[in-house]
Amino acid sequence: MTFARPELLWLAFVLPLIAAAAVWAIAARRTRALRVLGEVPLVKRLLVGTAREPTPLAALRLAVAAAALGFAAAGPRWGLEEVEASGSSRTLVVAVDVSRSMLATDLEPDRLEAARLMVRRILAALPGDRVGLVAFAGNGYVLSPPTVDHGALALYVDALAPDIMSQGGSSLAAAIRQAAALARGDEQALSGPRAVVVLTDGEAHEERAAVLEEADRARAAGVVLHIVGVGTTEGARIPVRRAPDGSPIRYLRGPDGEIVVSRLDESLLSDVAASTGGRYVRLGEAGASRALVDALRSVAADGTASERQVRPRERYAWFVALALVLIAADAWTQRTPPLDRRRRTRPT
């Protein structure tokens, strides 16, 4: 058994105490009132047919009913059910650069981990939206189509690493092409603008014109590109071997034998975003996450998102029903007998 609102479980223990205390207080007040009128046994005989005196059994019934209502408030769930999830949502695709340059350490602990953290923030800020995931290096690969199952997406995000790609390098044009196609999906089923977020250091191994040409194609297809620059313009070396404690002991070298320093190409990335009406932010700057999320929230939602999900079955109704039965049973036992019956049972 699980609970939708476990923070309310304390009600299942406090409410029975309150109910039992209330019954005890009513009984004590009734006894004090009878003593004022005279001898308690005699007064009780004279009051045959009036409201009955609370009993320990009545206190037990009300305490159990109160406990059941406390459990119902906590939202008990067990078992699974398959439901059709649909409603207004945005369609978003996140493309993450996993090339070797993303291992540079000019962001703590490295560029790739900083990008992962940004993706997790996006998923947390847009819980009901359909999000797809693309990883790219020398080419782009779809890891997940747009889905509202952000828990599964988080698993893919955690697995992002350069060794999951079969082709090295960094092709920003391929990433834009793959992400834009995934964002558009079925043209007849989806309408309106679509957003793509690309997280990269901008070190593209192709001509600048080829990247901008793909951005123009995305804009013509109704896709807005928001770019997150990952890294610094000062750059950093790229570790290719680490010690057991995680510290780098060997760095990537170029064909000339010199250590490669990877730098953020903000000029290219800002031009790509601007060409589609998107936003460019640099990861690590103050307010970058909020600015990006605000830009994504400005994308119009539609009501076409629909998929089957398995979720725990809500069982609170059983506890509410139990409480109502116990309360009804208590009311029945406490009812006043009919007048003719009262006359027949009145002592002489």
Side-chain angles (χ1 to χ4, degrees):
M1 179 188 295
T2 60
F3 295 91
R5 296 170 294 277
E7 68 276 7
L8 297 181
L9 266 177
W10 62 272
L11 292 174
F13 302 96
V14 174
L15 290 181
L17 298 178
I18 295 175
V23 172
W24 178 86
I26 293 172
R29 182 177 180 182
R30 177 186 176 87
T31 301
R32 289 195 300 268
L34 294 179
R35 286 174 181 168
V36 172
L37 297 176
E39 293 293 332
V40 174
L42 177 60
V43 175
K44 285 184 177 180
R45 295 182 66 183
L46 295 175
L47 293 177
V48 172
T50 61
R52 298 186 178 182
E53 182 178 4
T55 63
L57 183 58
L60 178 61
R61 280 194 296 263
L62 292 179
V64 174
L69 290 177
F71 273 104
R77 301 181 296 187
W78 66 83
L80 298 174
E81 63 178 347
E82 192 177 64
V83 297
E84 186 78 18
S86 62
S88 296
S89 66
R90 302 169 186 83
T91 298
L92 164 69
V93 173
V94 177
V96 183
D97 187 348
V98 294
S99 61
R100 193 168 294 276
S101 64
M102 291 292 285
L103 298 178
T105 56
D106 46 357
L107 296 180
E108 291 293 337
D110 56 44
R111 293 177 183 176
L112 185 56
E113 182 56 38
R116 287 196 197 102
L117 180 59
M118 173 63 88
V119 177
R120 295 188 192 104
R121 289 174 179 169
I122 293 172
L123 295 178
L126 305 172
D129 293 335
R130 294 163 51 88
V131 181
L133 184 63
V134 171
F136 71 94
N139 209 336
Y141 296 90
V142 176
L143 297 182
S144 172
T147 176
V148 295
D149 188 356
H150 291 184
L153 284 174
L155 297 178
Y156 286 114
V157 173
D158 292 340
L160 292 174
D163 56 11
I164 69 172
M165 307 300 291
S166 60
Q167 184 175 349
S170 182
S171 175
L172 187 54
I176 294 173
R177 180 168 58 252
Q178 185 71 68
L182 184 61
R184 288 308 305 170
D186 186 347
E187 294 286 349
Q188 295 181 349
L190 301 175
S191 61
R194 294 290 177 266
V196 168
V197 178
V198 181
L199 296 96
T200 180
D201 53 23
E203 284 205 332
H205 293 174
E206 65 240 313
E207 295 294 331
R208 178 189 184 92
V211 177
L212 293 176
E213 182 179 354
E214 286 297 338
D216 289 339
R217 289 176 181 170
R219 176 184 55 78
V223 176
V224 178
L225 299 176
H226 300 286
I227 311 296
V228 179
V230 185
T232 62
T233 54
E234 294 79 12
R237 296 173 294 178
I238 304 171
V240 294
R241 185 180 176 189
R242 295 180 180 271
D245 63 356
S247 59
I249 58 176
R250 190 155 63 92
Y251 295 94
L252 182 67
R253 294 180 180 272
D256 56 0
E258 295 294 326
I259 293 178
V260 174
V261 176
S262 173
R263 295 181 174 83
L264 173 65
D265 188 351
E266 285 195 296
S267 174
L268 172 61
L269 299 182
S270 59
D271 287 348
V272 169
S275 67
T276 65
R279 184 156 193 168
Y280 170 77
V281 297
R282 185 201 288 190
L283 191 58
E285 286 187 339
S289 299
R290 178 176 297 181
L292 177 62
V293 170
D294 289 344
L296 296 176
R297 285 175 175 162
S298 67
V299 177
D302 58 60
T304 60
S306 178
E307 60 182 54
R308 301 196 69 80
Q309 297 180 13
V310 176
R311 67 182 184 187
R313 188 183 295 273
E314 299 285 349
R315 303 289 187 173
Y316 66 89
W318 291 98
F319 293 90
V320 174
L322 174 62
L324 292 177
V325 168
L326 292 172
I327 293 172
D330 185 72
W332 176 263
T333 58
Q334 296 296 322
R335 75 190 191 286
T336 301
L339 180 60
D340 57 344
R341 184 178 173 186
R342 280 184 282 170
R343 287 174 179 171
R344 290 195 301 269
T345 59
R346 184 180 299 276
T348 58

